[in-house]
Amino acid sequence: MTMVPESRQLSISVSVLFLLLLASVWACYAGTCAHRDTLSLRAVRMPTRVRASSESRGGFRVLEWAGKGGFLPQPLLVTTAKTGWREAWKLMVNELAPQSKDGEYVRPMYGFRESIGSEKYPATPGRYQIYTGNPCPWCHRVLLVKALRGIPNDVLPHTALIDDPTKASRGGWVFGESLEMRDPVFNSYDLRELYERCSPDYSGRCTAPLMIDKKTGTIISNESEDIIRMLNEVDFPGVNRSGLNVDLYPPSLRSDIDAMNKWIYSGVNNGVYRCGFATTQVGYDKAIRDVTESLDKLESILSKSRFLLGDKVTEADLRLLPTISRFDAIYHPFFKCTTRWVSSLPNVQGWLQDMYQIPGVKETLDLEQAKRSYYTNLFPLNPSGIVPEGPSVDVLRMLEPPNRGPLDAKDIFFDKAETRAT
């Protein structure tokens, strides 16, 4: 049997829904045409009530017609509209976020897994280019590692993408018109064009973060986990932070970091997306349970420890921060992660304040712009495009003193001079 492409299925479904609603309106209207004289008489007898109704702005006033002997009764009209809208919505969410058979969001895997620091891709300053988008928590990870390891833009150039799916193709990222927002390598219009220049046979989603090799014009990686790991392992000449060669993945803690990353990814990083993109109650219930249990577990851990694995920052902290910093402003209301507020968990809140106030961190996120992106660009979840007010960084108390310890680099970071000493 010939399968209809998913994009075509979506178009067909939306069209069918529109036609169903239009037919319903017409049927209700036609069914009441014969009663116009009667309605006019009623308007004479009860001028106040009918006049108020006629002056209201209720669209086609379908429910009013349906309740006055129309061809399509109100229960059938409402049921048809709800079913059609729900099925069209499910198809749109599936296009946006792939689903399991149980209606759970399943994050896609990526195919570019090269690494720098090898003979093929040496750690040459200025050779590689990174592309990230502010709203994306996976991109945020990359900027955090780059900032905390003290890697400047002349060593590893970075270009900020604009999230605009109305202009982009095969994804949502485009380049800006100003000099600093343009693609400095190929002058691409959007991320799809850049992918095709680097990998002409690639047919998957064009996602960020993305690291490319400018010398060979090839993609190194589009997987945040790989990029942050290689940025920690590679030592570009002369790069340090306040005299430290920061180590976010020290050998003695690697098994603990990996174990923590695993459950934080499932229950928090990806857990909030599983809540937001769930298309069934069962899928949502499972996701929100995981998010709730994971937040409670974090609260317990951080009641005994300044950071996730002791008194120093590790990769695990940087992988958690993008989600927690967005949680109360975005994921709690927008993705229905409503069982907990970060601000109601004193130790998680204190950890967030601690992390956010590390020099260089707050510059890696524009929270207001990120919130606006979620509410306006993930339109299947917010068809109106209305962006709610607040809460701001100030309201979330992210700049209040956490009083959890000093923030000097030597106090909160491991140094490779010690962790990698032979």
Side-chain angles (χ1 to χ4, degrees), residues 163 329-330 333-334 366-379 381-392:
D163 51 318
I330 301 172
F334 190 64
D366 182 339
L367 184 60
E368 182 60 33
Q369 191 278 332
K371 184 184 73 173
R372 181 167 294 277
S373 171
Y374 278 84
Y375 276 93
T376 58
N377 290 330
L378 298 181
F379 66 91
L381 304 185
N382 186 37
S384 71
I386 295 172
V387 182
E389 284 291 328
S392 65

Side-chain angles (χ1 to χ4, degrees), residues 375-418:
Y375 276 93
T376 58
N377 290 330
L378 298 181
F379 66 91
L381 304 185
N382 186 37
S384 71
I386 295 172
V387 182
E389 284 291 328
S392 65
V393 167
D394 291 334
V395 171
L396 295 172
R397 299 183 289 117
M398 291 166 68
L399 292 173
E400 287 186 9
N403 299 318
R404 290 169 66 90
L407 290 173
D408 294 336
K410 62 181 177 57
D411 294 314
I412 61 173
F413 293 119
F414 290 101
D415 188 347
K416 282 187 179 181
E418 298 176 356

